[in-house]
Amino acid sequence: MSRCPWGDSTPDYVEYHDTEWGVELHGTDALYERMSLEAFQSGLSWITILRKRPAFRAAFCDFDPKLVAEFGPADVERLMADAGIVRNRLKIEAAIHNARTIAEQDVDLDALLWSFAPADHVRPATIADVPAITNESKAMAKELKRRGFKFLGPTTCYALMQATGMVDDHIATCFRAS
């Protein structure tokens, strides 16, 4: 079975590649989780985040933004002491801030994020053809920043778009290429 090269490197990646990555994902809680995890991944390997995902879910109330928005300084300290997650204060504070920001929006998070999905997307022939950023991810990052979100630049936004099926970057020879 032919996969994207990264999706064949570890059993964790095989499972993630084959069942989640590139699959359309909707819903505020689910998209807030992916948004948060992609921000935590910044500067790290995705496998680190993937393996810590159960601990992240426990630490962040299954990424229910209404619950995370209520976190205070004691929660930040609790999270900083949690070896099961990435203990980066800026990223933790951004996840909490972004949960609060979701409630302030005049548009549903799902509708907002999906409004940047390109109408047309060219399937990459090889892994070398997969971009790190696109005009759509730049526009998404700019709009999220304008709306007060933190830690979501164009590269992180593009990774979010790939992970949630807004774009399908399974390479041409991958069995998941649709």
Side-chain angles (χ1 to χ4, degrees), residues 9 15 18 23 26 37 43 51 55 57-58 63 67 69 110 115 123 129 147 149-150 159 175 177:
S9 60
E15 175 70 17
D18 290 1
V23 174
H26 292 278
L37 293 177
R51 289 178 175 158
R57 286 176 172 164
F63 289 97
L67 296 176
D110 189 298
S115 73
R123 175 168 313 288
D129 298 320
R147 288 175 173 272
F149 289 91
K150 294 182 178 180
F175 84 95

Side-chain angles (χ1 to χ4, degrees), residues 115-175:
S115 73
F116 294 96
D120 295 311
H121 182 70
V122 177
R123 175 168 313 288
T126 69
I127 201 74
D129 298 320
V130 177
I133 61 172
T134 62
N135 290 335
E136 292 87 1
S137 75
K138 288 184 220 176
M140 178 190 281
K142 183 177 180 180
E143 180 62 13
L144 291 174
K145 182 178 182 180
R146 186 188 74 75
R147 288 175 173 272
F149 289 91
K150 294 182 178 180
F151 233 99
L152 294 161
T155 303
T156 301
C157 285
Y158 194 65
L160 173 68
M161 294 173 85
Q162 291 172 305
T164 60
M166 292 177 204
V167 295
D168 181 356
D169 274 347
H170 288 283
I171 64 171
T173 57
C174 177
F175 84 95

Side-chain angles (χ1 to χ4, degrees), residues 95-108:
I96 296 166
H97 171 85
N98 290 344
R100 294 176 183 145
T101 302
I102 288 169
E104 299 168 358
Q105 299 308 303
D106 58 353
V107 64
D108 177 67

Side-chain angles (χ1 to χ4, degrees), residues 17-139:
H17 172 274
D18 290 1
T19 63
E20 289 185 65
W21 192 74
V23 174
E24 281 196 22
L25 184 69
H26 292 278
T28 297
D29 293 8
L31 289 168
Y32 168 64
E33 174 182 356
R34 293 297 178 87
M35 170 190 283
S36 299
L37 293 177
E38 293 295 347
F40 272 103
Q41 185 273 329
S42 183
L44 302 172
S45 169
W46 178 247
I47 196 71
T48 301
I49 303 304
L50 192 57
R51 289 178 175 158
K52 290 179 176 278
R53 187 165 57 171
F56 271 111
R57 286 176 172 164
F60 284 90
C61 302
D62 286 324
F63 289 97
D64 180 333
K66 291 178 185 129
L67 296 176
V68 176
E70 296 174 7
F71 284 13
D75 293 296
V76 172
E77 295 311 314
R78 170 184 58 82
L79 294 166
M80 286 296 295
D82 187 342
I85 67 167
V86 173
R87 295 176 290 180
N88 178 303
R89 187 175 299 275
L90 292 176
K91 293 176 181 181
I92 289 168
E93 290 174 346
I96 296 166
H97 171 85
N98 290 344
R100 294 176 183 145
T101 302
I102 288 169
E104 299 168 358
Q105 299 308 303
D106 58 353
V107 64
D108 177 67
L109 183 66
D110 189 298
L112 173 63
L113 295 177
W114 275 89
S115 73
F116 294 96
D120 295 311
H121 182 70
V122 177
R123 175 168 313 288
T126 69
I127 201 74
D129 298 320
V130 177
I133 61 172
T134 62
N135 290 335
E136 292 87 1
S137 75
K138 288 184 220 176

